Amino acid sequence: GGVELRFGELADRVLALAAVIRAHGVEPGDRVVVAGRRSVETVTAILAALRARAAYVPVDPSAPASRLAEIVDDTGATHLLAAAGSPHDRADATVPVLDIAETVAAQAGVTELDAGPRLDDVAYLIYTSGSTGRPKGVVVDHLGLAEYLGWAEQQYVRGERLTFALFTSLAFDLTVTSLFLPLISGGTLEIYPEPDGPVDTALMDVAEADAADLIKLTPSHLALLVRIGLEGSRIRRMVL
């Protein structure tokens, strides 16, 4: 959306929002639902939840209010972080709702907070597709996330500074790679908002912008890539 942040600016925003989360009663180990479209604000909210030693629970913006309520109940979430433009308004939630942009602005200038997460803290809960009839929340701790990202950095980044395209749902497990890997390796996170049309058009937006070096996608996307054509594209690595 035309917003560009450097690492220092992002760190300042994350620290400010983490302080707000703590001030509103979020304790280490609490679950915080993050309901927002793909945006700088939503990425900030996820990182702030982690910095506050809470676990984030991503909710797809297209999910109905009943699904949000189920996840809040199932995880025992204490708060909801919502970004501007989120379809989940305050009436949907049974827990306190924090507006990301408002809370960051209110805490501008925060410079310190107590120690960050430990390896045995829960980092996030993500839900399966529900092949057995009801989606199940999978708990991932910081040690598991750190081990995976360390491996992925060796396999995918290989010491380079790459631009990753974030164009898949934040509630989908494959998105974890695109979200965190550029941020731990000095790369760039290029965020693509949800399209107004079919989901596949998000990948078309990535191809048209030609700003990403690496994309992570599902095998079903390959046929679309063939139709789009990548001759001369900047994209040089695809993780399936």
Side-chain angles (χ1 to χ4, degrees):
V3 178
E4 181 179 289
L5 293 182
R6 300 193 178 277
F7 277 85
E9 294 169 322
L10 177 61
D12 288 345
R13 290 192 183 195
V14 168
L15 189 64
L17 184 54
V20 170
I21 292 172
R22 283 289 185 83
H24 280 80
V26 174
E27 299 290 337
D30 284 353
R31 275 66 163 149
V32 175
V33 172
V34 178
R37 300 183 182 277
R38 290 189 297 273
S39 65
V40 168
E41 290 77 18
T42 304
V43 170
T44 302
I46 288 173
L47 295 174
L50 296 177
R51 180 63 183 83
R53 290 189 60 192
Y56 78 91
V57 185
V59 175
D60 194 291
S62 63
S66 59
R67 181 82 189 105
L68 173 63
E70 287 177 6
I71 289 178
V72 168
D73 180 66
D74 193 49
T75 60
T78 59
H79 290 74
L80 171 67
L81 283 172
S86 169
H88 298 302
D89 59 24
R90 298 172 192 273
D92 292 338
T94 56
V95 294
V97 180
L98 303 179
D99 180 277
I100 297 167
E102 289 179 4
T103 50
V104 169
Q107 286 291 317
V110 173
T111 58
E112 59 183 49
L113 194 66
D114 59 9
R118 302 181 309 205
L119 289 177
D120 59 352
D121 285 340
V122 175
Y124 63 90
L125 284 82
I126 204 154
Y127 278 75
T128 67
S129 58
S131 57
T132 59
R134 180 188 172 117
K136 297 176 291 295
V138 178
V139 180
V140 179
D141 60 23
H142 278 271
L143 177 59
L145 178 60
E147 290 282 359
Y148 167 68
L149 291 174
W151 173 87
E153 185 175 13
Q154 293 178 347
Q155 296 295 317
Y156 305 152
V157 180
R158 304 170 189 171
E160 299 181 59
R161 290 197 172 185
L162 302 177
T163 296
F164 284 64
L166 182 65
F167 69 98
T168 49
S169 171
L170 292 166
F172 192 16
D173 61 349
L174 73 75
T175 307
V176 166
T177 311
S178 302
L179 173 62
F180 292 113
L181 201 48
L183 297 180
I184 70 163
S185 61
T188 300
L189 180 64
E190 186 84 12
I191 303 172
Y192 294 83
E194 283 80 4
D196 294 329
V199 175
D200 282 348
T201 59
L203 179 56
M204 296 175 68
D205 290 341
V206 173
E208 183 177 341
D210 200 28
D213 302 305
L214 186 150
I215 56 175
K216 188 168 185 182
L217 65 173
T218 65
S220 60
H221 282 123
L222 289 177
L224 180 62
L225 282 178
V226 171
R227 293 206 309 271
I228 295 173
L230 294 178
E231 293 81 3
S233 170
R234 174 173 168 174
I235 298 170
R236 62 182 188 274
R237 289 180 195 163
M238 293 182 286
V239 182
L240 296 181

